[in-house]
Structure formats: structure tokens, C-alpha cells
């Protein structure tokens, strides 16, 4: 049991910490000095599949790979668990943001769950603003309650 926890605790810390990181990065960095990389996500070119915005994938991939690899080399379970937490968040981010919300792949088009519909709605509100300044809803998995309640009522 203890051994599971030495992986599970850092895993959960990383996963939920990443939601905060993603919110912070999106609000202050992507809509800040790295706007030139994020701009094409708000003003997409219908003729290309990849966006410059996809470079943010590295924000998850590099630290996660380093934590797992170095943690294994040094026998540090905290680091390994933390690395898998970042990895899991990266995969979730891709599935929720790119597939569920933006439908780059048609895997979840029939989703009816009010939480997932609320996620999609909140991010659509973020995209209503096509520019750098004055956005809203920068988080991904944490949605303002009103979006969830709205979707729940609709059922
Ligand atoms: Zn944005
Ligand atoms: Zn976005
Ligand atoms: Zn988006």
C-alpha cells in the first residue's frame, strides 16, 4: 500500500498542479509574450491541420519525460509519479481540448454528459474573443459552476 502511495501522491499533485499551470500559462504567457504561438489557435487557418499552438505540446512532453527518466535512473519514486502525472494531464488535455472541444478527430462527437458539455461551452466562450487581450475561461478542466448548471438544466 505504501509503495502505491509514493507514486500516487506525486501523480495527483502533478495532475492537478498542471491544471493550474495550464490556466496560468494560458492566461499570462500564451495571451502574453508567447501570443505569436497561440494566435493561430484563436484565428485558425482552415487549410492546415497543425497550428503553431501545437508547440505547447512540448510544455508537457519535456518535463514529463525528464521526471520519469531521471526518477528511474536515481530510484526516486516521487519524480517518476510526478512525471506520469504530467503525462496523464497532457493526454487528458489533448483528448479534452483538441478532440472533445475542437473536434480535430471525430471520436467524441456524441458526448452528452453535462460536465463535458460545460467544458466545451466554457472553452467556446474563451474562443469568442479572437484576440490577445480580455479573454475569459482560461482553465480547462475546472469550469465555472454556472456552465455546468446550465447544461444540467437542459437535459
Ligand atoms: Zn487562448
Ligand atoms: Zn485555447
Ligand atoms: Zn481552444
Amino acid at each position: 500500500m505504501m509503495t502505491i502511495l509514493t507514486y500516487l501522491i506525486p501523480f495527483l499533485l502533478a495532475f492537478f498542479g498542471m491544471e493550474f499551470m495550464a490556466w496560468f500559462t494560458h492566461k499570462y504567457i500564451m495571451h502574453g509574450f508567447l501570443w505569436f504561438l497561440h494566435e493561430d489557435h484563436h484565428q485558425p487557418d482552415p487549410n492546415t491541420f497543425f497550428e503553431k499552438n501545437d508547440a505547447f505540446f512540448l510544455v508537457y512532453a519535456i518535463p514529463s519525460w525528464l521526471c520519469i527518466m531521471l526518477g528511474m535512473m536515481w530510484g526516486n519514486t516521487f519524480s517518476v509519479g510526478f512525471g506520469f502525472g504530467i503525462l496523464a494531464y497532457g493526454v487528458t488535455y489533448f483528448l479534452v481540448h483538441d478532440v472533445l472541444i475542437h473536434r480535430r478527430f471525430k471520436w467524441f462527437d456524441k458526448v452528452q454528459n453535462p460536465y463535458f458539455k460545460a467544458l466545451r461551452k466554457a472553452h467556446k466562450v474563451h474562443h469568442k474573443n479572437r484576440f490577445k487581450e480580455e479573454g475569459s475561461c482560461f482553465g480547462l478542466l475546472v469550469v465555472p459552476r454556472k456552465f455546468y448548471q446550465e447544461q444540467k438544466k437542459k437535459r
Side-chain angles (χ1 to χ4, degrees), residues 68-136:
I68 296 171
M69 185 186 71
L70 297 175
M72 282 182 172
M73 284 163 61
W74 297 337
N76 185 322
T77 57
F78 189 93
S79 176
V80 175
F82 201 84
F84 277 107
I86 301 175
L87 178 68
Y89 188 83
V91 173
T92 308
Y93 192 94
F94 171 76
L95 291 175
V96 171
H97 178 257
D98 294 274
V99 184
L100 176 78
I101 297 171
H102 289 296
R103 300 183 161 144
R104 290 171 87 178
F105 300 96
K106 317 272 163 225
W107 300 339
F108 308 131
D109 281 7
K110 295 190 184 72
V111 167
Q112 286 304 323
N113 180 294
Y115 170 65
F116 287 125
K117 285 170 76 180
L119 281 181
R120 187 187 272 152
K121 185 73 207 295
H123 194 71
K124 291 271 141 107
V125 169
H126 173 70
H127 275 280
K128 269 223 176 95
N129 181 347
R130 300 180 60 216
F131 304 99
K132 186 177 167 186
E133 316 294 338
E134 287 169 26
S136 55

Side-chain angles (χ1 to χ4, degrees), residues 26 30-31 38 41-42 53 93 97 102 123 126-127:
H26 191 187
M30 295 157 88
H31 284 255
H38 188 51
H41 183 57
H42 281 266
N53 188 58
Y93 192 94
H97 178 257
H102 289 296
H123 194 71
H126 173 70
H127 275 280

